[in-house]
Amino acid sequence: MAIAMQPAATYRRIPLAPHQRTERITPTENCFVLAHLGVPRIAAAGWSLSVEGLVRRKLRLDLAALKALPQTRLESFHQCAGAPKRPDLPMRRVMNVVWGGVLLSEVLERAGVLPEARFVWSYGLDHGTYEGHTVDNYAKDLPLDRVTESVMIATELNGAPLPAEHGFPARLLVPGFYGTNSVKWLDRIVLADRRADSPFTTALYNDPAADGTPLPVWAVMPESAIVAPAPDAVLDARETEIWGWAWGALPVASVEISTDGGITWRAAEIEPRRAFSWQRFSLKWRPERPGPAIIMARARDASGAVQPPADARNAVHRVAVTVGG
Ligand SMILES: Nc1nc2c(c(=O)[nH]1)N[C@H]1C(S)=C(S)[C@@H](COP(=O)(O)O)O[C@H]1N2
Ligand SMILES: [Mo]
């Protein structure tokens, strides 16, 4: 029997704009919600997660069995990639929360992954139609060698059971990968030797690369967003703090700030990363001239990759303010 969907159509809730993300840990009620097909309503009783495919032993774990495995907590940012076919559009939907659950590696160890396995396929219980694609399940895949030690089967968000819209009773959580990969309402994991054949892994969420080969939307590119000052703020000539959050698959090594629309840049202070948390950056600024000013921030990660000025998921964030006379 198909699981009831409520709503049974695409559901998005984006409660906070970047300047409202003032808290390090995003309160659950302020977390964004993205559900392509709607929100399945699942009872814990009767639910179980199966692990199959290229494994020595098939597993079927109900919620009690999952809770009986070693539990971990992890602070991680979580970012929606935005429109699946518009890699040129920055959406800046991001939050930073504490996830609780079981490491995927613990589960895979018990199943015994066969040497020919290369990918982890994951399936949600949601079904329906998204942009003309009708599916029985939301499905995603990950390269097995990119399954870091932190990938988990999460059952908790900020210390409480996952709310229905965030994936109750369990979801995959792939720290450092765009949100689309963290399959909610998880009920099946399949180990495979190739990529999964689902609209969400083939038609959608593959960015065209320079040489034409599609690039799966997996690792999060370095990004930063300005919290303060807020857009359209009116500042006086006193010193003010420009600050915000920076994140990416790799730790962010530096953030530079421009207060003249990108002509000159200065290094901000940035805190080191803990786990997969976002990192606070800040810079003291004393406005020199009255009039309009464009503040920009750009992050560079540990590999040297830097935010592009425009036309990218992780394009530089610009905030227009006015300096009063
Ligand atoms: N089963 C399922 N998982 C899903 C989705 C979905 O539509 N169905 N949406 C994905 C997308 S695009 C994002 S950005 C995140 C959002 O997670 P959240 O709603 O908990 O913030 O879930 C991902 N996991
Ligand atoms: Mo998303």
Side-chain angles (χ1 to χ4, degrees):
M1 194 190 71
I3 300 275
M5 303 283 292
Q6 172 57 250
T10 304
Y11 178 68
R12 294 185 192 88
R13 197 163 57 83
I14 325 288
L16 300 183
H19 70 277
Q20 295 169 315
R21 296 173 192 156
T22 53
E23 288 174 89
R24 180 178 299 277
I25 302 294
T26 312
T28 301
E29 66 273 18
N30 288 337
C31 289
F32 68 79
V33 176
L34 258 298
H36 295 81
L37 308 166
V39 177
R41 304 287 157 170
I42 300 166
W47 174 88
S48 66
L49 170 66
S50 67
V51 182
E52 53 197 75
L54 297 173
V55 293
R56 289 200 175 79
R57 289 169 293 279
K58 273 189 173 191
L59 302 181
R60 184 173 277 280
L61 302 163
D62 62 13
L63 202 51
L66 213 50
K67 295 273 189 188
L69 295 175
Q71 303 289 304
T72 37
R73 280 200 171 171
L74 176 86
E75 182 178 329
S76 177
F77 72 86
H78 177 58
Q79 181 177 23
C80 172
K85 297 216 282 199
R86 293 297 304 273
D88 57 319
L89 280 187
M91 297 285 210
R92 306 183 215 290
R93 298 166 179 163
V94 62
M95 63 203 220
N96 189 68
V97 293
V98 179
W99 303 96
V102 178
L103 290 180
L104 178 62
S105 57
E106 293 275 358
V107 172
L108 294 185
E109 207 174 285
R110 281 162 179 80
V113 175
L114 293 174
E116 52 278 28
R118 293 284 176 278
F119 291 89
V120 179
W121 300 355
S122 52
Y123 293 85
L125 282 165
D126 45 335
H127 53 88
T129 302
Y130 177 77
E131 287 190 357
H133 302 281
T134 299
V135 293
D136 295 331
N137 298 95
Y138 182 81
K140 295 296 291 187
D141 59 14
L142 305 167
L144 187 56
D145 63 1
R146 300 283 293 277
V147 173
T148 64
E149 285 183 353
S150 315
V151 176
M152 63 198 262
I153 298 166
T155 51
E156 285 187 3
L157 171 58
N158 289 339
L162 285 177
E165 55 197 21
H166 291 292
F168 184 87
R171 75 179 301 167
L172 197 66
L173 193 272
V174 190
F177 273 27
Y178 284 104
T180 172
N181 300 291
S182 291
V183 170
K184 302 192 276 189
W185 313 294
L186 183 68
D187 83 322
R188 197 154 64 101
I189 290 176
V190 178
L191 278 290
D193 58 3
R194 57 183 186 280
R195 291 208 63 198
D197 186 16
S198 153
F200 294 99
T201 57
T202 54
L204 306 166
Y205 295 109
N206 284 291
D207 292 347
D211 67 359
T213 41
L215 214 61
V217 177
W218 282 330
V220 175
M221 298 177 286
E223 193 169 337
S224 59
I226 297 162
V227 174
D232 303 323
V234 178
L235 308 174
D236 58 29
R238 276 177 302 199
E239 185 175 82
T240 183
E241 186 188 46
I242 299 169
W243 76 273
W245 304 109
W247 64 91
L250 294 177
V252 172
S254 65
V255 171
E256 293 170 296
I257 290 177
S258 174
T259 53
D260 55 13
I263 300 164
T264 61
W265 296 85
R266 273 195 296 158
E269 284 185 33
I270 177 156
E271 66 183 11
R273 177 146 101 180
R274 288 174 299 113
F276 277 89
S277 65
W278 60 17
Q279 298 162 254
R280 191 183 194 276
F281 65 84
S282 64
L283 180 74
K284 295 278 198 297
W285 177 46
R286 188 185 295 281
E288 279 139 37
R289 275 187 305 281
I294 302 285
I295 301 175
M296 298 160 74
R298 75 178 174 205
R300 183 182 305 271
D301 73 15
S303 78
V306 70
Q307 283 184 260
D311 304 323
R313 294 187 199 282
N314 64 333
V316 162
H317 187 208
R318 310 160 59 95
V319 171
V321 299
T322 303
V323 179

